[in-house]
Amino acid sequence: MPKSSSSSPPVSAAPVVTSTPKPFLLTAVQGEAARSLLTYVGSLPLSSSDAQLLAVVVAIRAARGGVGNLTGQDLKSLRLDDAQSAVTAVAALGWQVRGDLIGGSPDTPVAIAVPDLADTSDRRLVFGKDKRSRVSGWTTRTLAAKPARKTSSAARLAALFLAAHARAERHGTLPADLPDRCRAALPELLAKGFLLELEGNRYLLADAVRHLSGMHALPDPPRPRDRTAEEPLSWDAWKAQASVALRRHAEAVEHCPRCHMATVRVAEAFMRKAVPAQIPASVRTAYGAWKDSQPDCGPRAAEFAAAFRAEHGHGPSVKQLCVGLGWKKQPRDLRILIVRRLIADEWLTNTEPVPWTLRPGRAARTPGGATAPVTTGARPA
């Protein structure tokens, strides 16, 4: 019999309507360009978020030839608290504003020359035409995103930094060069729904803005067992050398029509070296309180895992299980401990360390355990 879960009748997860995720706006190379733009602006001696936000827009427009055009309407759309001070601040850097952005015609382009970005061998940003255009469009879309557009300048500048440094469909780490004013504004992004989670230096973009992630190149995969090999495996090469069963499982997750996960997310999960998570005492204490409020968690988890596998062709991840069962507000460490205990109590089992292999355990197959699976409509992690 299970060790710590009651034999209450299983409760199925409420159906959740899924929608097709928006395609990512940037490739990994363009994501790196977006991060270099923000690093450049963050290095400028500007004392206000208004000025930094203006500098981002001007710099990406001037990234190729050293001159960017801005209209009075463009400036107004930035919703700066003090537009005049921001223009004065960038002019103090030596940027040449060749017209009247404040009092002139709102539709007349005003050229702004940025010496650092002039077409010389030592210019600060080196962008091709397509890269500059894509990053410029990403900047505009991020600032105009519904959860960010009516926030403060510091919060919108933070939104650019966090989107650029976010990792596809998993937690990111606050960038070291995030301005202090932006750090102070992070609760604003959480309250407005730009962020789904914010805990210490870890954050997760909300689903509605996940497509704004700056993207990163695939991580360096583990080298093959042959230590003489000169090059690490690519994702395709990893699948080619995997067993037939493992390759089929990986491709079932990669091409799952319900999860819609980015290939980079799937590749990272399968190719990275498994490192046991360390669970602090505070999380163990939190688990005790959570467990008292979830007396039927074992049967529910087993039933959900069975239904998920029937619909997707693979098991749920830790996050997919917890979100699907309504436990989505739990921190990541607590989620991991919850699933570990469910496995220890034999309500669940998995093929460790292979991801997406959760399935009902032995306790679910005993009298009083989970019943036949039901349709869940679980959301992807």
Side-chain angles (χ1 to χ4, degrees), residues 13-252:
V16 178
V17 178
T18 60
S19 59
T20 303
K22 297 178 182 179
F24 291 101
L25 296 186
L26 301 177
T27 65
V29 172
Q30 293 160 357
E32 183 57 38
R35 291 185 286 276
S36 68
L37 166 69
L38 294 170
T39 296
Y40 165 68
V41 171
S43 71
L44 300 173
L46 296 170
S47 59
S48 74
S49 297
D50 276 354
Q52 288 178 307
L53 201 55
L54 175 59
V56 169
V57 175
V58 174
I60 188 56
R61 297 187 182 194
R64 293 201 69 214
V67 178
N69 291 322
L70 202 70
T71 67
Q73 184 58 43
D74 291 333
L75 183 63
K76 183 178 179 180
S77 68
L78 287 177
R79 305 170 65 93
L80 305 179
D81 292 330
D82 190 341
Q84 180 63 71
S85 294
V87 173
T88 300
V90 298
L93 298 175
W95 295 16
Q96 302 159 16
V97 183
R98 299 169 179 172
D100 187 356
L101 269 174
I102 303 297
S105 170
D107 298 323
T108 300
V110 174
I112 303 177
V114 183
D116 282 350
L117 307 181
D119 192 13
T120 61
S121 59
D122 60 348
R123 68 187 187 199
R124 295 289 298 275
L125 298 176
V126 183
F127 286 8
K129 181 179 179 180
D130 182 65
K131 187 188 296 184
R132 190 216 66 81
S133 178
R134 291 298 295 272
V135 175
S136 179
W138 167 85
T139 301
T140 300
R141 295 278 293 276
T142 302
L143 293 177
K146 186 176 180 179
R149 65 187 176 209
K150 292 186 179 180
T151 60
S152 64
S153 295
R156 281 177 288 137
L157 183 63
L160 288 173
F161 271 90
L162 267 57
H165 287 81
R167 293 189 174 272
E169 303 190 14
R170 67 185 181 94
H171 288 82
T173 301
L174 296 181
D177 56 355
L178 181 66
D180 290 339
R181 292 179 295 276
C182 293
R183 289 179 182 272
L186 294 181
E188 190 177 351
L189 292 180
L190 186 63
K192 292 291 187 179
F194 190 88
L195 296 179
L196 183 62
E197 296 180 19
L198 176 64
E199 184 178 4
N201 281 334
R202 296 173 70 252
Y203 69 94
L204 185 66
L205 296 184
D207 292 343
V209 295
R210 197 73 57 81
H211 64 293
L212 300 173
S213 297
M215 302 299 289
H216 295 255
L218 285 173
D220 292 336
R223 291 183 178 276
R225 293 181 181 276
D226 181 6
R227 299 291 185 179
T228 63
E230 295 183 357
E231 296 295 331
L233 293 176
S234 66
W235 175 229
D236 287 338
W238 182 92
K239 289 190 291 184
Q241 59 86 47
S243 67
V244 173
L246 180 57
R247 182 172 67 252
R248 286 177 178 172
H249 173 60
E251 291 180 340

Side-chain angles (χ1 to χ4, degrees), residues 276-320:
Q278 301 299 315
I279 306 299
S282 60
V283 174
R284 297 181 185 277
T285 300
Y287 171 79
W290 175 87
K291 184 65 171 60
D292 291 341
S293 69
Q294 301 288 336
D296 60 348
C297 60
R300 291 185 64 202
E303 182 181 11
F304 180 89
F308 190 102
R309 292 182 69 84
E311 294 180 17
H312 293 246
H314 61 82
S317 66
V318 169
K319 182 177 179 181
Q320 284 172 321

